[in-house]
Amino acid sequence: MKIYVSEDYKDMSRKAANIVSAHVILNPACVLGLATGSTPIGMYKQLIDWYNKGDLDFSQVKSVNLDEYVGLAPTHDQSYRYFMQTNLFDHVNIDPANTNVPNGLASDPEAECERYNQVIRSMGGIDVQVLGMGHNGHIGFNEPGHAFELETHVVNLTERTIEANARFFASKDEVPKRAITMGIKSIMQARQILVVVSGEDKAEIVKKAFYGPVVPEVPASILQMHANVVLCGDKAPLSKIM
Ligand code: GLP
């Protein structure tokens, strides 16, 4: 694993954006695995900035997102499709047809998972998968205790994740209780994994995930088994491992 320690969130975002843009420059038709959450927002801002300066071209890039809430329309301001549109896609020249987020409104979520697995396969796999990390070590919406060997599947969100995400909704009751997420198996097949972390409240889980035992109780711990992981964080979340 490569670790990049940054002074602050802005610097961390820039480093992470550098890694993603390296893929786009070296392979203009690359497949980006993208993530939501507050952590990668600065990275997306930086990518938009470089696009506006003419340094990046997304016209052939394909993207596949980690997860989506079950029951939220793409136009719902808390859906992950909406997040991606407003934080990246609407601001760069990526072809909308090349962007993929699970369909939260699919009448048959299980069938949607299968369709999504096919989409990932048909793209030839993911070149770099961006990952944030939940406080309980979840990646995407793979919660503690989930089997490592799953591809895209439907999950029931834990109380802790619902609480953590309640800040984005009018009330906790409005947070969807289920989501569609790429599984650990799909994530582990990405050729490179870029983990972004920020804030002191992630320090404990970063230590557990990267230096603790590899167990389903800490989903991100499986990343220790991946041959090409880059961890980008500011000082606070890395304070217990440096
Ligand atoms: C959500 C997302 C995850 C994300 C996590 C952490 O639960 N499904 O993909 O990594 O939140 O979010 P944040 O970066 O806001 O801490």
Side-chain angles (χ1 to χ4, degrees), residues 25-208:
I25 291 165
L26 292 173
N27 176 9
C30 65
V31 178
L32 301 180
L34 300 176
T36 58
S38 49
T39 316
I41 290 178
M43 181 190 83
Y44 294 137
K45 278 210 176 86
Q46 182 65 75
L47 290 171
I48 293 167
D49 205 35
W50 287 333
Y51 165 75
N52 285 331
K53 289 191 172 125
D55 289 348
L56 285 177
D57 174 15
F58 290 86
S59 59
Q60 296 176 66
V61 168
K62 298 183 220 54
S63 76
V64 60
N65 259 76
L66 279 172
D67 47 10
E68 179 61 285
Y69 288 114
V70 169
L72 293 195
T75 48
H76 188 290
D77 67 359
Q78 289 308 322
S79 76
Y80 286 168
R81 165 54 81 174
Y82 185 88
F83 174 103
M84 288 313 302
Q85 293 299 138
T86 49
N87 284 293
L88 182 67
F89 300 156
D90 288 349
H91 307 285
V92 297
N93 65 338
I94 195 164
D95 179 347
N98 284 341
T99 68
N100 296 278
V101 180
N103 177 8
L105 289 186
S107 55
D108 181 349
E110 305 294 340
E112 171 61 8
C113 293
E114 211 21 68
R115 184 195 70 83
Y116 209 67
N117 287 332
Q118 290 302 341
V119 167
I120 300 171
R121 266 179 223 125
S122 70
M123 288 173 158
I126 299 166
D127 290 304
V128 59
Q129 177 64 58
V130 178
L131 289 181
M133 224 192 325
H135 293 101
N136 58 6
H138 76 231
I139 46 180
F141 269 132
N142 293 280
E143 297 281 16
H146 283 192
F148 281 151
E149 64 272 23
L150 293 174
E151 295 189 301
T152 311
H153 60 290
V154 180
V155 293
N156 293 318
L157 302 182
T158 62
E159 206 43 40
R160 193 158 179 208
T161 299
I162 292 171
E163 265 160 30
N165 290 345
R167 62 197 153 118
F168 302 117
F169 291 81
S171 77
K172 196 180 137 190
D173 294 341
E174 283 184 28
V175 184
K177 307 286 176 283
R178 292 195 304 158
I180 293 175
T181 185
M182 258 190 223
I184 299 281
K185 182 175 174 187
S186 338
I187 293 171
M188 288 296 280
Q189 283 169 350
R191 289 180 272 282
Q192 183 175 55
I193 294 184
L194 169 60
V195 184
V196 288
V197 282
S198 180
E200 204 181 340
D201 53 333
K202 296 277 171 79
E204 194 55 46
I205 193 62
V206 165
K207 185 175 166 204
K208 267 197 189 161

